[in-house]
Amino acid sequence: MKDLKNLIFFENLLLEANNELVQKAQSEGKVCACYTCENTPEVLLNLDGCFSARLRAPRTGSLDISTYYMTSFLCEYSRALLERAIEGGYNFADCIITPDGCSMMNRCIENMELLKAVGKGKDKFFFEYMEIPMKADDNGLNLYVLQCKNHILKPLNETFGIDTSDAAIRKAVKEHNHICELIRAIGDYRKEENPRITGYEFNVITLATYVAPKYLIVDKLEETLEELKTRQPDDTNRFRARVMVVGSEVDDTDFVKLIEDSGAYVCADRFCYGSLPGRNPIILNDEEDALTQICRQYMMRGECPRFMNTDKMDHRRVYVDELAKEYKADGIIYEQMKFCDPWAYEKMMGSQILRNKYGYPVLAVDRPYSIGTSGQMQTRVQAFVESIEIKKIQRGEANG
Amino acid sequence: MALFLHVLKIIAIVIVALFALTFTVYIFNLDMKLTAAIEPWLLKHYDKIDRDQHL
Amino acid sequence: MAKQIGADRFGDFYIEGSRVRKRREWRGFVDTMYDYSRWLKIMMTLGKFVMKPRNVKAMFRYRWMANYLAVPMMVDRHTQGLRGEYLRICHEEQDLVIDDVAKLLDSLFRGDRRIGNDKKFSDKVVLVDENEMTAVMMGFPTLKVLSRETPSTYVSVLLNQRAACHYIDVAQEFGLAGDVCPMPEAEAGVSIDDDAPILGACAIQCNTTCDGSLLGNGVISQRLEHEDGIPVFQLAAPLRHREDDVQEYAAQEIRNAIAFVEKHTGVKWDWKAYFECAKRVNYATKCRQEWLEMNRTPYPQVFGSNLALYTETNYMAICGRVPAFEKADRKITKLARQAYAKKKMAAKEYRHRAIVWGVQSHYYMDFLVWLLNCWGIVPLTDMLSMVSTKEIAEVDTPENREQAIYDMAWLTENMIMRNRTHGGYKVLLDELWEFVEMFNADMVILWEHMSCKALDGMHGLFEEKAREKGIPLVWVSHDLFDPRIISRQGVRDQINSFMRTVMQEEPIDPSLEILPDDQSW
């Protein structure tokens, strides 16, 4: 396949947290609101005058200092963020807004605050911690709305003078939805039998939408979608199986690359930082205020294992099944970042239930934050691909 | 009266004997030594029970 | 064999490779007779329990029941070296907990579909988590509030250090990562292993102490809801419990939980019963505060593992619902006052005054007794005992009925452990140093429960603060329910090396430094 014209542009955005578009937006006087968890309604950080950047720690090396502060038992994502903060890598942030999504992320940000690792030279810098619901119900919705008002809208308005009116929120939703629709349209090409976009390329593009100001990449996304309309896939499909990746935070594109290099096409991305459901558009009506509607949709669509009511828990597996069917996955890879408690449980539950109840071949793996070219992981994925092939042969599907 | 004293004596002997017995068990930790001997047998029994292991 | 405190070499009681100790302690005539009489009482409690055929049947059905063979030994471990009032306080607490657990077991097996199968009884049962504040059940006096996890895992590990290993292995065989907290892991293992009694009209789970606990409940509710047909309400207590803007949410969760119980049991909330319980909660708080007040002086009376274990039971699992605990509170306070007036000490020498912080090793709950006997370190109080001291509304008025909802929410948010592990760094990090000052402590024993992410996440800052304050801080690592990761001797070694190398001290009882208790219960 011919290379995508903007792929290198998108890849370059992922090389640094403080990427060139973040710098450009800040030079235009915009406020950079950083966040760490998918349960923070991203769209509220993209009101006029500010933009969101989800924190990553690309090219993470040693975690020595953060390991001293948080021990080796905390997940590497939280440690990598703290390490990068201590190195001064997040001083571009104008504020950090985080929910107590999980204990580890909470401790990571608290360490940043206590060590004064972020906000150097920024007089108005602030940290905000949110309580977000653990169940999807009316009570949870009331909490979500109140927390967004108190910990996102109010501080943004009072500190930076951001317009947080209903009209401003609706405008942000409109822009947000445009990005989501573009990502959805690009991602839909993954449903093709011989897809014209690889899982890696899609992963890079999606990730870029989380870490760069959206208004500065929208043209590149539109261009890429246009390009894809006429892009010709290779005559022969180099992949031997289609897999869906489900699990915890993945902001390392090498992980999807490794899977694809091992022979499995990543046809769907149901992980934190992925597009499903992270890039579902937010549908607003005119009867109810926008904030309540946003919170409701974040709460209802959230697939984070911290949601604890039975309906939500069951829905996590139902949703994976629905996506697997929609994207024609042959198998499912459940991944969990090492030391992530919520996903340790969900990986066990999901992999057992999807295998035993729904009949999918499932591979369950845990992984470090930066996978690099892990030989162990390659071997496991290759063996999984082979097992899927054998099952296909046994069912008489292979070779016509 | 003699009968009463006799009964009283028997009761006293029983109480003293019971005390001696239970106190010996208590001070030499014989109760725990016995249950420690029973435990391996019980564990083997649990291993034999058919269980519907699943999530 | 001596009447005097500290005259024995306690290490001599252990037998290499054995589950049990050589013999019980001679504490002088009066104290030995007292201890003997309490042992008889425990034997009678156990005897009464096994008289019922259904309990014997359960003994042969549930693997975790084997741990109850070790009940008297658990008491012995906690009474080591104690004399006079201290011995009596310890028995007051331990014996009541044993009695309460025996009743819990009896009730569980009565309603259990596999054992007693008393349907009528089961319909009055509401299941709760092991680590759950039962405040929400204070107004349901006619319902039975039972926890399956308390006897199967929590108490089991207190009795037998290896009690949870089998269930941890089962959960890991099903693909659960080995680095999660072994407590919810073992609880999930019990459910997977088909080893939990099945009963109840409904269940209330709670996002108790950590992410692991919350997710472990998800495993348990799979069977409960989807197979056993027992509806489950997940009570979500806010994590940032010190913030004003979460209290209304917390209160509404309580209202919803009450409505759920009413719906599934057909029993109406009883305000009279609630306020009766509230009075007892306040009384327990008052007593606990008085004990802690004494612990600030040179003559602490109610401290160590007894304080922790009793507070955990009384504050959280009982929460004013059982009058017997009020009686025990009164007796303990009376004994403590007596001993305090006589300036009594629990060991022959007090060298250091320590605050014990973090989550203690469950398989070595009597470690604090060892700390005192071996090194003369007085564990003045511990993190699990530093719970809410807020007085709740106890008079039945229309305003107080509304306030009561917020009080129950507050208690639920501030259940043991989660009141420190959640709610931001202030409650975990900053308040520790406030307590150090308040209790005139000269040392901090910091349990590092290695799979407790909320605690691990503050590791470096604890150290930095300790250096800044000039307070010796000893890390004691363990894995809560799994002695295979760090053994009891491994736990002791961390103190031994610190005391010898950093503090340059010799033990008070050198026979306790290395103990052959690897195979012990």
Side-chain angles (χ1 to χ4, degrees):
Chain A
M1 262 189 310
K2 205 176 144 190
D3 285 348
L4 284 175
K5 185 184 157 197
N6 292 319
L7 189 65
I8 291 177
F9 167 79
F10 289 123
E11 282 176 330
N12 284 341
L13 290 178
L14 304 181
L15 294 177
E16 291 294 339
N18 187 12
N19 57 55
E20 59 169 285
L21 295 189
V22 167
Q23 291 171 25
K24 185 163 185 268
Q26 284 191 307
S27 70
E28 290 169 3
K30 297 214 185 286
V31 170
C32 177
C34 291
Y35 71 111
T36 52
C37 171
E38 70 172 6
N39 294 301
T40 315
E42 181 194 14
V43 67
L44 298 178
L45 309 179
N46 285 290
L47 299 168
D48 250 356
C50 62
F51 68 94
S52 68
R54 191 166 172 181
L55 290 181
R56 296 170 62 239
R59 296 183 294 178
T60 282
S62 152
L63 295 175
D64 286 355
I65 299 174
S66 58
T67 300
Y68 163 70
Y69 280 105
M70 302 205 294
T71 79
S72 55
F73 285 94
L74 265 72
C75 86
E76 284 190 7
Y77 177 54
S78 57
R79 277 188 283 150
L81 292 190
L82 180 60
E83 188 84 17
R84 187 58 51 89
I86 292 170
E87 288 164 1
Y90 300 137
N91 279 322
F92 66 91
D94 291 303
C95 60
I96 294 181
I97 296 172
T98 184
D100 274 15
C102 63
S103 297
M104 290 178 258
M105 193 46 59
N106 171 249
R107 291 294 184 233
C108 163
I109 306 298
E110 287 187 334
N111 269 276
M112 285 185 197
E113 183 186 343
L114 290 166
L115 294 168
K116 298 183 175 58
V118 195
K120 288 190 179 75
K122 304 242 178 193
D123 298 342
K124 292 180 175 176
F125 181 86
F126 64 80
F127 285 99
E128 279 292 339
Y129 301 91
M130 293 169 70
E131 177 81 33
I132 44 167
M134 291 187 161
K135 295 194 298 186
D137 58 11
D138 290 344
N139 193 29
L141 180 59
N142 292 339
L143 175 76
Y144 217 164
V145 172
L146 183 66
Q147 292 290 312
C148 286
K149 277 182 188 163
N150 289 353
H151 301 282
I152 300 179
L153 300 181
K154 198 173 160 209
L156 281 178
N157 176 263
E158 287 178 356
T159 314
F160 300 112
I162 304 292
D163 178 6
T164 56
S165 64
D166 191 67
I169 294 173
R170 284 176 188 274
K171 183 169 175 269
V173 168
K174 202 174 160 198
E175 287 160 9
H176 177 84
N177 284 351
H178 183 46
I179 297 286
C180 292
E181 280 149 12
L182 288 168
I183 291 291
R184 271 281 169 278
I186 294 170
D188 279 350
Y189 287 115
R190 294 177 298 172
K191 294 175 187 170
E192 293 175 336
E193 203 165 314
N194 186 13
R196 67 188 76 185
I197 184 168
T198 65
Y200 167 75
E201 289 166 336
F202 181 75
N203 188 211
V204 168
I205 296 166
T206 305
L207 199 49
T209 66
Y210 283 101
V211 300
K214 291 176 185 50
Y215 76 101
L216 292 175
I217 54 167
V218 68
D219 56 332
K220 294 284 194 289
L221 291 174
E222 285 165 347
E223 202 177 328
T224 303
L225 180 59
E226 274 310 303
E227 189 185 348
L228 279 168
K229 284 178 183 165
T230 54
R231 193 187 197 198
Q232 288 300 312
D234 293 335
D235 290 341
T236 51
N237 190 343
R238 72 180 165 100
F239 299 108
R240 292 149 60 195
R242 294 169 64 87
V243 298
M244 172 176 173
V245 177
V246 182
S248 65
E249 194 272 353
V250 180
D251 71 59
D252 175 18
T253 53
D254 283 348
F255 182 58
V256 172
K257 195 167 195 295
L258 182 148
I259 294 171
E260 297 204 322
D261 288 347
S262 307
Y265 177 71
V266 177
C267 62
D269 52 339
R270 173 40 312 268
F271 48 79
C272 188
Y273 267 106
S275 71
L276 300 164
R279 286 290 170 251
N280 281 358
I282 298 164
I283 313 298
L284 296 184
N285 61 44
D286 294 332
E287 284 78 56
E288 199 178 21
D289 67 280
L291 178 62
T292 306
Q293 294 184 67
I294 290 168
C295 290
R296 185 182 295 110
Q297 289 183 46
Y298 263 84
M299 187 178 74
M300 298 314 289
R301 81 179 193 197
E303 296 293 333
C304 176
R306 76 188 297 285
F307 281 105
M308 63 190 273
N309 52 320
T310 305
D311 289 348
K312 275 296 235 189
M313 285 191 285
D314 291 343
H315 185 262
R316 289 202 279 274
R317 295 112 209 185
V318 171
Y319 184 55
V320 171
D321 175 48
E322 285 169 2
L323 289 177
K325 282 184 182 132
E326 188 182 344
Y327 286 84
K328 303 180 190 78
D330 300 315
I332 295 160
I333 297 181
Y334 261 93
E335 58 81 19
Q336 166 223 330
M337 193 172 306
K338 188 94 182 114
F339 303 116
C340 172
D341 280 354
W343 277 102
Y345 278 91
E346 185 56 27
K347 186 189 74 175
M348 171 181 74
M349 298 285 281
S351 57
Q352 293 281 340
I353 292 170
L354 267 294
R355 185 185 294 126
N356 299 330
K357 187 175 163 190
Y358 292 93
Y360 289 101
V362 181
L363 171 68
V365 293
D366 51 18
R367 60 175 187 86
Y369 177 57
S370 295
I371 191 95
T373 50
S374 160
Q376 282 180 7
M377 189 64 77
Q378 273 175 340
T379 307
R380 295 199 64 186
V381 177
Q382 282 163 355
F384 182 56
V385 170
E386 277 169 29
S387 76
I388 291 175
E389 283 181 321
I390 290 167
K391 282 192 182 96
K392 277 185 183 174
I393 290 167
Q394 284 168 345
R395 287 199 304 259
E397 288 173 20
N399 304 319
Chain B
M1 187 63 183
L3 182 70
F4 176 70
L5 281 176
H6 184 68
V7 171
L8 212 64
K9 199 174 141 193
I10 290 171
I11 290 171
I13 289 169
V14 168
I15 289 173
V16 170
L18 268 178
F19 170 75
L21 181 73
T22 54
F23 191 77
T24 306
V25 170
Y26 162 79
I27 201 74
F28 292 107
N29 209 15
L30 298 179
D31 52 331
M32 291 294 89
K33 285 171 185 164
L34 173 70
T35 53
I38 295 172
E39 195 204 22
W41 176 81
L42 261 178
L43 294 179
K44 270 187 200 157
H45 164 74
Y46 297 131
D47 288 339
K48 284 184 199 153
I49 299 175
D50 271 343
R51 285 172 200 279
D52 181 16
Q53 265 195 353
H54 65 85
L55 280 175
Chain C
M1 302 253 280
K3 186 183 174 182
Q4 295 81 17
I5 295 175
D8 280 319
R9 278 171 52 88
F10 290 121
D12 297 343
F13 286 73
Y14 294 80
I15 310 169
E16 178 82 52
S18 172
R19 290 266 187 280
V20 297
R21 294 180 190 175
K22 273 182 202 159
R23 61 170 176 83
R24 290 198 167 89
E25 221 177 303
W26 179 261
R27 305 165 195 264
F29 183 75
V30 176
D31 284 340
T32 304
M33 284 304 125
Y34 172 77
D35 191 60
Y36 161 72
S37 68
R38 300 306 291 222
W39 172 80
L40 273 180
K41 189 174 174 274
I42 292 168
M43 295 311 267
M44 279 195 274
T45 305
L46 297 177
K48 225 167 87 186
F49 178 79
V50 294
M51 289 294 278
K52 292 185 182 167
R54 65 164 182 255
N55 293 341
V56 177
K57 192 178 166 191
M59 185 90 196
F60 285 94
R61 170 59 182 80
Y62 297 114
R63 176 183 290 271
W64 42 266
M65 278 300 290
N67 303 309
Y68 288 83
L69 295 171
V71 169
M73 184 163 168
M74 180 187 81
V75 181
D76 294 340
R77 289 210 308 265
H78 287 88
T79 55
Q80 190 177 57
L82 299 183
R83 305 282 190 273
E85 285 87 350
Y86 292 99
L87 181 67
R88 282 148 186 83
I89 288 172
C90 184
H91 269 298
E92 239 359 280
E93 295 168 339
Q94 295 274 344
D95 300 359
L96 185 57
V97 172
I98 288 168
D99 193 52
D100 192 60
V101 174
K103 283 179 188 153
L104 168 63
L105 285 168
D106 188 49
S107 300
L108 280 174
F109 301 141
R110 182 177 166 189
D112 187 359
R113 292 178 199 171
R114 293 190 185 105
I115 309 287
N117 201 18
D118 184 337
K119 171 95 176 50
K120 215 173 146 196
F121 176 80
S122 175
D123 288 345
K124 294 284 169 208
V125 168
V126 177
L127 295 177
V128 293
D129 280 353
E130 169 269 306
N131 219 341
E132 179 173 334
M133 199 79 194
T134 52
V136 76
M137 297 305 296
M138 285 157 77
F140 290 114
T142 57
L143 294 178
K144 275 274 176 191
V145 182
L146 304 179
S147 157
R148 304 181 305 167
E149 290 79 22
T150 297
S152 66
T153 48
Y154 183 88
V155 176
S156 286
V157 180
L158 289 177
L159 297 164
N160 172 7
Q161 58 171 327
R162 292 173 191 275
C165 295
H166 171 79
Y167 299 112
I168 290 170
D169 292 347
V170 168
Q172 291 185 10
E173 278 166 26
F174 272 72
L176 186 57
D179 54 70
V180 300
C181 173
M183 186 160 95
E185 188 178 25
E187 290 172 1
V190 171
S191 173
I192 296 169
D193 202 32
D194 193 21
D195 219 20
I198 306 167
L199 75 163
C202 59
I204 299 184
Q205 294 186 327
C206 188
N207 59 333
T208 54
T209 49
C210 62
D211 299 331
S213 240
L214 183 154
L215 271 297
N217 280 343
V219 178
I220 294 166
S221 67
Q222 273 288 313
R223 273 202 186 220
L224 269 182
E225 288 221 78
H226 297 321
E227 280 182 38
D228 305 331
I230 298 166
V232 180
F233 180 86
Q234 283 93 356
L235 199 165
L239 303 177
R240 304 197 68 79
H241 51 81
R242 294 276 176 109
E243 303 293 327
D244 289 340
D245 61 4
V246 303
Q247 303 308 333
E248 181 48 45
Y249 173 77
Q252 189 55 42
E253 280 296 287
I254 297 293
R255 290 185 196 106
N256 293 348
I258 291 171
F260 172 85
V261 173
E262 285 182 336
K263 181 182 161 194
H264 291 284
T265 60
V267 175
K268 284 276 158 214
W269 179 260
D270 178 346
W271 280 111
K272 192 169 169 280
Y274 169 81
F275 284 108
E276 282 301 312
C277 294
K279 279 184 196 127
R280 286 194 284 265
V281 168
N282 284 339
Y283 184 70
T285 305
K286 211 179 107 202
C287 292
R288 196 173 64 253
Q289 278 180 298
E290 187 175 337
W291 308 339
L292 291 173
E293 207 50 47
M294 284 181 205
N295 294 357
R296 293 173 62 182
T297 72
Y299 301 101
Q301 300 301 328
V302 187
F303 61 92
S305 50
N306 295 324
L307 175 66
L309 200 59
Y310 184 72
T311 304
E312 195 156 340
T313 310
N314 195 9
Y315 175 79
M316 192 161 68
I318 302 301
C319 205
R321 293 180 300 104
V322 183
F325 278 79
E326 189 183 7
K327 255 197 218 162
D329 283 336
R330 193 164 290 126
K331 272 191 194 167
I332 294 166
T333 307
K334 195 179 158 201
L335 286 163
R337 281 177 190 161
Q338 265 175 32
Y340 182 74
K342 292 181 212 157
K343 297 190 173 177
K344 281 201 173 176
M345 288 165 68
K348 68 174 176 188
E349 192 181 342
Y350 289 174
R351 286 185 184 165
H352 297 284
R353 296 170 59 83
I355 300 287
V356 181
W357 210 243
V359 180
Q360 54 218 37
S361 149
H362 212 74
Y363 59 84
Y364 197 9
M365 200 73 169
D366 50 317
F367 167 80
L368 301 183
V369 181
W370 174 87
L371 206 57
L372 180 71
N373 288 328
C374 186
W375 290 101
I377 300 171
V378 189
L380 300 164
T381 188
D382 60 285
M383 191 179 91
L384 303 195
S385 301
M386 301 311 281
V387 285
S388 172
T389 51
K390 192 170 145 181
E391 196 180 331
I392 63 172
E394 58 175 38
V395 181
D396 189 357
T397 64
E399 304 79 53
N400 279 352
R401 287 187 179 192
E402 183 58 16
Q403 179 57 42
I405 300 289
Y406 288 86
D407 288 341
M408 281 183 270
W410 174 259
L411 288 172
T412 307
E413 289 172 85
N414 282 278
M415 68 180 84
I416 280 185
M417 206 188 313
R418 98 188 289 278
N419 72 323
R420 301 274 161 211
T421 54
H422 288 310
Y425 57 80
K426 189 174 183 314
V427 290
L428 183 70
L429 182 68
D430 296 354
E431 289 188 6
L432 164 62
W433 307 107
E434 289 170 22
F435 294 137
V436 166
E437 217 163 284
M438 187 190 292
F439 284 84
N440 301 310
D442 57 8
M443 184 181 262
V444 170
I445 307 287
L446 228 159
W447 285 115
E448 186 152 70
H449 165 21
M450 50 208 286
S451 26
C452 179
K453 314 291 170 30
L455 273 162
D456 293 342
M458 280 287 136
H459 180 100
L461 287 162
F462 274 125
E463 279 196 2
E464 286 189 355
K465 276 277 178 197
R467 275 197 291 269
E468 191 186 307
K469 306 251 175 200
I471 299 280
L473 179 150
V474 199
W475 287 109
V476 186
S477 298
H478 65 90
D479 201 22
L480 194 72
F481 266 37
D482 196 344
R484 295 170 300 183
I485 310 298
I486 295 177
S487 66
R488 284 178 177 166
Q489 187 55 44
V491 168
R492 287 189 292 267
D493 282 344
Q494 296 170 70
I495 295 285
N496 292 342
S497 355
F498 186 89
M499 294 307 289
R500 283 189 176 277
T501 56
V502 180
M503 304 302 284
Q504 303 270 306
E505 288 180 20
E506 290 293 321
I508 291 174
D509 180 354
S511 74
L512 280 172
E513 236 183 320
I514 297 170
L515 297 173
D517 61 350
D518 211 33
Q519 297 302 315
S520 170
W521 272 329

